[in-house]
Amino acid sequence: MKKLIIYGFETKEQFRIQFTNFLKKYGGFGLKDSKNLLDRMLDGIPIEFEIPEHHIIEVSEILDKLNMKYIIS
């Protein structure tokens, strides 16, 4: 497992619905929790969760398309 930390959107164009769906799929969060995490992230609190190593490339590609600032460690 690798730790994923998402800091926020890099650009003004924000893909909020797609990002919420990303959190549901890869973070295992429900819709309400995903929306709350998004709101907290927009307030400056990073989102942290673990992802399996075999999802790293897929997750990175999705986050890049969504214009996200993130770190995988």
Side-chain angles (χ1 to χ4, degrees):
M1 297 290 268
K2 293 283 188 173
K3 186 176 191 177
L4 172 63
I5 304 171
I6 305 170
Y7 295 100
F9 293 99
E10 289 185 351
T11 63
K12 289 183 181 181
E13 183 179 12
Q14 298 178 353
F15 300 98
R16 293 178 185 210
I17 294 171
Q18 295 89 336
F19 182 66
T20 301
N21 290 333
F22 168 84
L23 291 175
K24 287 171 43 184
K25 181 174 181 179
Y26 293 99
F29 302 104
L31 179 59
K32 185 175 182 177
D33 289 336
S34 296
K35 290 171 82 175
N36 288 338
L37 286 170
L38 171 62
D39 290 341
R40 291 180 63 199
M41 181 191 73
L42 293 173
D43 288 338
I45 301 169
I47 298 171
E48 297 184 28
F49 60 92
E50 292 192 354
I51 55 170
E53 291 191 28
H54 64 275
H55 284 298
I56 291 174
I57 293 172
E58 184 178 358
V59 164
S60 295
E61 289 173 352
I62 292 169
L63 291 174
D64 289 341
K65 287 178 185 175
L66 295 176
N67 297 323
M68 304 302 296
K69 290 183 252 181
Y70 67 94
I71 293 175
I72 298 174
S73 59

